[in-house]
Amino acid sequence: LYTPVMFSLIMDTLIIRPFSYNIASQTGEGSIAYMNWATTLIQFPQGLVATAISVAILPTLARQSVAARDETFRAYKDTLGLGLRLTTTLIVPAAMGLFVMATPIIALLFEHGAFTATDTGITAQALRLYLIGLPFAAVDLLLVYAFYARKDTLTPALIGVVSLVVYMVVAVALVDTFGLFSLMIADSIKHFVHATISAILLSRRISGFGSQKLFLTFAKTVTASLIMGGTAWVTLPILSDVIGTQGILHEALLVIVTGTLYGGIFLFVAMILRLDELR
């Protein structure tokens, strides 16, 4: 079971990373650093939500997948469905929040010493392009673990090869037009492709996901996140002027106040929409 996993890790280490660094190094000074800073930020919600939930449900999924009884197999779908709904409920607003608050968050964390406002702007743009693929990456991780629970490590590895080819083709095709940002666009498309193929293949093997209300949860979460994001897009410049952005104390206060406010707006709208997963 470990051999395909090892193959995926080797692909990531010996192909994806050198390829990405090589492309980034051709797009200007500091590009690799911008990519790494943006990647650091994107990994925080990914680990806090998708990785944590995937690890939490894996033992139950593995136990439920080995039983042949129909009712236990339905339990496998219910457990996976709950994981997917929880991940969606958490990762979509996290992605939206990071998207609209990218500049003040990056300024607070990195804009000190030689890191200038120009660096903040470039890193923020890279982060936003990465964030487009974050929900797909989060959902995809649960689907990969669902394959693992069924003692199938080969299928995710093969899907990974396909998505790797897509990533490299898109990056090379767009680098002349978008420069460094071609890598972020390619990364988001890679996650979309991997998640889509994983969902289709897993659905066929388990005869559908059952009645999990995944679309309803997604629709409610996206609606609440868009209202939160729209509010933030309008009010963030105003609050930045009122609170100020000069000095680490002002930067921290801006992030804390706006993060609390916009998070509260999401929760309020989600409660009105009766987004059950919040409980």
Side-chain angles (χ1 to χ4, degrees):
L1 289 174
Y2 178 65
T3 302
V5 178
M6 181 180 66
F7 173 72
S8 298
L9 294 172
I10 291 174
M11 267 202 321
D12 179 70
T13 304
L14 299 183
I15 299 178
I16 296 180
R17 293 186 185 182
F19 171 82
S20 300
Y21 288 148
N22 181 267
I23 293 292
S25 67
Q26 300 176 35
T27 61
E29 184 178 356
S31 291
I32 292 177
Y34 296 133
M35 182 175 66
N36 287 336
W37 285 316
T39 301
T40 298
L41 291 175
I42 206 76
Q43 287 174 341
F44 178 70
Q46 174 76 343
L48 195 64
V49 176
T51 304
I53 293 177
S54 298
V55 171
I57 70 171
L58 177 59
T60 304
L61 282 176
R63 185 175 63 252
Q64 293 169 340
S65 68
V66 299
R69 298 196 308 271
D70 288 341
E71 62 179 88
T72 305
F73 200 64
R74 284 201 299 270
Y76 170 92
K77 296 180 183 180
D78 290 341
T79 300
L80 177 59
L82 176 60
L84 291 171
R85 294 196 306 274
L86 288 174
T87 298
T88 299
T89 301
L90 294 172
I91 204 68
V92 172
M96 179 62 73
L98 270 176
F99 190 94
V100 295
M101 294 181 59
T103 298
I105 289 175
I106 292 170
L108 172 63
L109 296 176
F110 301 130
E111 195 177 308
H112 310 286
F115 196 105
T116 66
T118 300
D119 299 320
T120 295
I122 297 174
T123 306
Q125 184 61 29
L127 174 62
R128 290 185 176 115
L129 291 172
Y130 273 136
L131 285 168
I132 296 173
L134 177 60
F136 300 106
V139 168
D140 183 56
L141 188 58
L142 267 79
L143 296 175
V144 168
Y145 272 55
F147 279 108
Y148 288 175
R150 305 182 76 238
K151 296 185 178 181
D152 180 2
T153 56
L154 179 60
T155 300
L158 294 177
I159 299 172
V161 173
V162 175
S163 63
L164 170 61
V165 173
V166 170
Y167 172 76
M168 297 176 73
V169 169
V170 173
V172 171
L174 298 181
V175 67
D176 289 338
T177 303
F178 296 100
L180 171 66
F181 301 133
S182 64
L183 291 170
M184 291 82 213
I185 298 171
D187 186 75
S188 291
I189 294 175
K190 177 191 72 176
H191 289 307
F192 171 77
V193 170
H194 201 295
T196 300
I197 297 175
S198 297
I200 292 173
L201 293 182
L202 182 62
S203 177
R204 289 180 176 179
R205 294 184 185 182
I206 64 176
S207 301
F209 292 103
S211 180
Q212 300 300 329
K213 299 181 179 179
L214 297 175
F215 179 77
L216 181 61
T217 299
F218 175 77
K220 290 181 178 180
T221 303
V222 169
T223 299
S225 298
L226 287 174
I227 292 174
M228 174 193 71
T231 303
W233 200 262
V234 173
T235 61
L236 185 57
I238 300 173
L239 291 173
S240 298
D241 291 338
V242 172
I243 298 175
T245 57
Q246 300 299 316
I248 191 169
L249 291 179
H250 288 280
E251 292 172 347
L253 183 61
L254 177 63
V255 170
I256 292 171
V257 170
T258 55
T260 302
L261 173 62
Y262 302 145
I265 291 174
F266 170 80
L267 291 174
F268 177 73
V269 177
M271 289 174 60
I272 293 177
L273 294 176
R274 297 182 180 180
L275 185 59
D276 295 334
E277 287 69 27
L278 284 177
R279 295 197 309 256

